[in-house]
Amino acid sequence: MKSRTKFPRWVPIFIVVILWMLLTACALGWLATQEDSPAGEENVVQMTQPAVQTTGENGSIARQHLEALTEIGARWPGTAQETEARQYIISCLDQLGYAPEVQNFSATSDEGEEVDPANIIAVKDGESSEVIVVGAHYDSSDEGLGTDDNGSGVAVLLEAAEQVANKTTPYTIYFIAFGAEETGLLGSYEFLDALSNDEIANIILYINMDSLCAGDITYIYSGNDPTALNWAVDWADSSGYDLEPIPNADLSTDGEGTADYAAFDDADIPWVYFEATNWELGDEDGYTQVDPRFGDDGAIIHTQYDNLAYLDETFPGRVNQHLDVYVSVLLAYLTDYP
């Protein structure tokens, strides 16, 4: 039988003293970290969503345009920033070999001020006189920097314009950066009002792009005719892209259209609409784009959170992934739509 070692009586007391000293040191260290925290942020946890894979082959050009438009800042109609964005878009299209037309018109801001916005129209001749119109408004609200709404749509438009500039396309393509969307969809209505009935009849599809990079889910909407939507969803499924369809989408508020698709819908032109948001959150109306822990209770557009730095930090990889999805689907329309 093995005997048990018997420790001197002072050993347990020594151990207790050592443990007390260690616990005291840990507590003092924790208090020091709290004192170094900014006032009012003692219990704030920096929340981000997991990074997403960004291995797509498209979207890098759009990313550069998105950075440039974000740097210009909020582009409310009638401001110097809106004019600067207009000149940026014109310059980009010029460099690609297009001959962009500036369609000037007058508008009244929500404050009752007369402003002079403009649409920018670049035409890519195709093998057919039938037309696909690609549109994105370049103005923004005066909150945030207009990254998602709608620098993202313009950025995707500019990359697609570059990628097809020297390709043969089955349809003639109109690339249009609309002005004054935020003051009542004025640019899109102005464009259609200037067309003849024959010119309107030649438009087989309008593709609207608005708020593409912030929301959780990459959607495509359509009106009463889901033909183009179904084609794109089939293409995306076979090509490995996530594209969630909402056919016959009701996007109106109090009976009024909420984006530039409305002008084309009024003219009985088939349309699809690219938007990233989350119809499963909040009131399930598409206005809660992300988890309510982020942004302004889940909203990014028309808030201070509509800026590229916040989106990159909070949703790592999302912006690039969404740009890849939408550039890829748009290019499929422009080169392969039957």
Side-chain angles (χ1 to χ4, degrees), residues 192-203:
L192 286 168
D193 286 345
L195 298 182
S196 68
N197 290 336
D198 288 342
E199 288 171 323
I200 289 176
N202 274 340
I203 301 174

Side-chain angles (χ1 to χ4, degrees), residues 50-337:
V52 296
Q53 190 174 4
T54 58
T55 58
E57 60 186 30
N58 293 309
S60 60
I61 298 170
R63 171 75 193 209
Q64 295 172 22
H65 291 304
L66 187 59
E67 291 172 356
L69 290 165
T70 298
E71 186 173 349
I72 291 171
R75 303 172 295 278
W76 184 252
T79 63
Q81 290 85 353
E82 184 218 24
T83 301
E84 185 178 353
R86 183 187 314 158
Q87 294 304 318
Y88 174 82
I89 296 165
I90 292 169
S91 176
C92 290
L93 293 169
D94 272 331
Q95 292 174 24
L96 295 175
Y98 293 94
E101 171 194 349
V102 179
Q103 183 182 41
N104 294 292
F105 58 97
S106 296
T108 303
S109 71
D110 288 348
E111 290 76 22
E113 299 178 9
E114 289 296 320
V115 295
D116 295 307
N119 296 328
I120 306 154
I121 306 168
V123 178
K124 165 76 170 69
D125 290 328
E127 294 183 311
S128 168
S129 61
E130 292 182 314
V131 173
I132 292 178
V133 177
V134 179
H137 74 90
Y138 66 93
D139 61 318
S140 78
S141 78
D142 53 4
E143 298 172 296
L145 300 179
T147 298
D148 187 40
D149 183 17
N150 186 34
S152 60
V154 175
V156 168
L157 180 151
L158 289 173
E159 174 164 344
E162 178 169 345
Q163 292 217 39
V164 303
N166 298 311
K167 292 182 179 179
T168 300
T169 56
Y171 302 103
T172 295
I173 305 166
Y174 281 40
F175 293 104
I176 309 179
F178 290 119
E181 190 265 2
E182 298 288 356
T183 54
L185 319 179
L186 301 180
S188 48
Y189 278 100
E190 181 71 22
F191 168 73
L192 286 168
D193 286 345
L195 298 182
S196 68
N197 290 336
D198 288 342
E199 288 171 323
I200 289 176
N202 274 340
I203 301 174
I204 65 164
L205 181 65
Y206 172 60
I207 303 172
N208 191 68
M209 301 186 297
D210 201 340
S211 302
L212 308 183
C213 67
D216 290 338
I217 301 170
T218 47
Y219 289 98
I220 181 172
Y221 315 138
S222 74
N224 293 329
D225 184 351
T227 303
L229 176 146
N230 292 336
W231 183 87
V233 171
D234 289 344
W235 181 90
D237 285 345
S238 64
S239 303
Y241 290 99
D242 292 327
L243 194 63
E244 184 73 22
I246 301 183
N248 199 20
D250 181 6
L251 306 173
S252 63
T253 298
D254 297 328
E256 298 292 330
T258 54
D260 286 319
Y261 75 89
F264 292 82
D265 190 60
D266 287 350
D268 294 324
I269 295 170
W271 56 269
V272 293
Y273 179 173
F274 298 167
E275 182 185 44
T277 184
N278 194 328
W279 283 79
E280 300 172 3
L281 298 176
D283 293 332
E284 298 184 352
D285 57 3
Y287 285 104
T288 304
Q289 299 168 269
V290 299
D291 188 308
R293 295 177 299 164
F294 306 108
D296 184 357
D297 198 24
I300 300 296
I301 64 171
H302 295 201
T303 75
Q304 63 179 315
Y305 302 101
D306 190 0
N307 71 78
L308 188 56
Y310 176 80
L311 296 178
D312 280 341
E313 180 180 0
T314 309
F315 310 104
R318 172 175 294 186
V319 171
N320 292 358
Q321 183 201 41
H322 284 10
L323 294 176
D324 175 36
V325 170
Y326 284 123
V327 170
S328 300
V329 177
L330 179 57
L331 289 174
Y333 270 126
L334 301 184
T335 58
D336 295 327
Y337 187 57

